Amino acid sequence: YPQLIGDHQIDNVSTAIAAVLRLNELGYNIPKKIINSAIIKTKWPGRLEKGKLKNINIYLDGAHNIDGATQLLKFFKNKKIRVWMILGMLNNKDVFNFIKKLKPILNGIIAIKIPNEKNSYSTTQISKVCQTLKINCISKSSVIQANEFLIKKVKPRTILVTGSLYLVGKIRENY
């Protein structure tokens, strides 16, 4: 079975297959066996990538725009999963509408600054958006502090870490 998670990956795989079939029409010879193998083996780190923190399911996703938020919303709604979200985002992104889109699946947000990223929203800026949207938000200075808080105080079933591929790339080893 394919390892990519999310219904939107069907569109992505379909596009890739169409491109390969067109290449074959143009004279390339890419066997169907190779296409099938590629689909099964393809992994996309940081895109609904599943991990664990103690017994808590973790999803890492670098979504940073409304389309990405829409796909996350669809994925978690279809599975009837509500999440605590650890959010860090670059300040040139639409954090208000990103959070607003995900509100139906959120139990709360842990706001963090993307590590070593000067163009990250501050935890205060994210908290103000949460306050406007009436979403429970806690600010932490690092993903490690966010994890400790969630493990000790909240004990959620599922955590979603999202808002930036920079964030996900920098914290993946924690999961």
Side-chain angles (χ1 to χ4, degrees):
Y1 291 98
Q3 296 181 49
L4 296 175
I5 300 173
D7 290 345
H8 60 290
Q9 297 297 359
I10 294 168
D11 293 337
N12 293 337
V13 167
S14 298
T15 301
I17 292 169
V20 170
L21 294 176
R22 180 69 180 126
L23 287 170
N24 281 348
E25 288 173 3
L26 295 172
Y28 291 86
N29 184 22
I30 304 167
K32 286 183 181 169
K33 190 178 197 177
I34 298 290
I35 297 168
N36 290 340
S37 175
I39 291 168
I40 291 167
K41 292 179 182 175
T42 298
K43 292 181 184 179
W44 197 347
R47 292 296 188 184
L48 283 171
E49 181 178 6
K50 197 168 180 186
K52 284 277 190 190
L53 178 66
K54 305 282 184 183
N55 318 350
I56 304 168
N57 289 319
I58 304 284
Y59 288 90
L60 305 175
D61 196 287
H64 54 272
N65 58 34
I66 302 307
D67 288 342
T70 300
Q71 294 305 325
L72 290 174
L73 177 68
K74 189 185 328 181
F75 175 78
F76 288 107
K77 271 185 119 174
N78 286 345
K79 294 195 170 297
K80 295 177 174 53
I81 296 173
R82 291 182 58 84
V83 301
W84 266 84
M85 182 166 73
I86 298 175
L87 179 68
M89 186 176 269
L90 293 176
N91 61 18
N92 64 348
K93 303 299 178 188
D94 183 357
V95 70
F96 179 88
N97 285 307
F98 186 87
I99 294 172
K100 184 178 177 184
K101 176 63 78 173
L102 291 171
K103 185 176 179 178
I105 60 159
L106 296 177
N107 289 322
I109 292 177
I110 307 293
I112 64 169
K113 192 172 183 313
I114 300 170
N116 306 312
E117 183 54 59
K118 65 180 179 167
N119 295 319
S120 175
Y121 279 109
S122 70
T123 57
T124 303
Q125 291 169 312
I126 294 171
S127 291
K128 284 180 182 173
V129 169
C130 292
Q131 189 175 13
T132 302
L133 292 170
K134 297 179 174 38
I135 295 171
N136 183 22
C137 185
I138 309 293
S139 294
K140 293 294 174 186
S141 61
S142 70
V143 74
I144 292 168
Q145 284 189 354
N147 289 341
E148 287 174 2
F149 174 81
L150 288 167
I151 290 167
K152 292 177 183 171
K153 303 282 186 194
V154 179
K155 300 176 176 101
R157 285 192 173 156
T158 306
I159 298 170
L160 169 62
V161 182
T162 193
S164 169
L165 286 165
Y166 292 101
L167 171 66
V168 169
K170 290 177 181 184
I171 58 88
R172 279 181 75 229
E173 73 262 5
N174 293 291
Y175 307 103

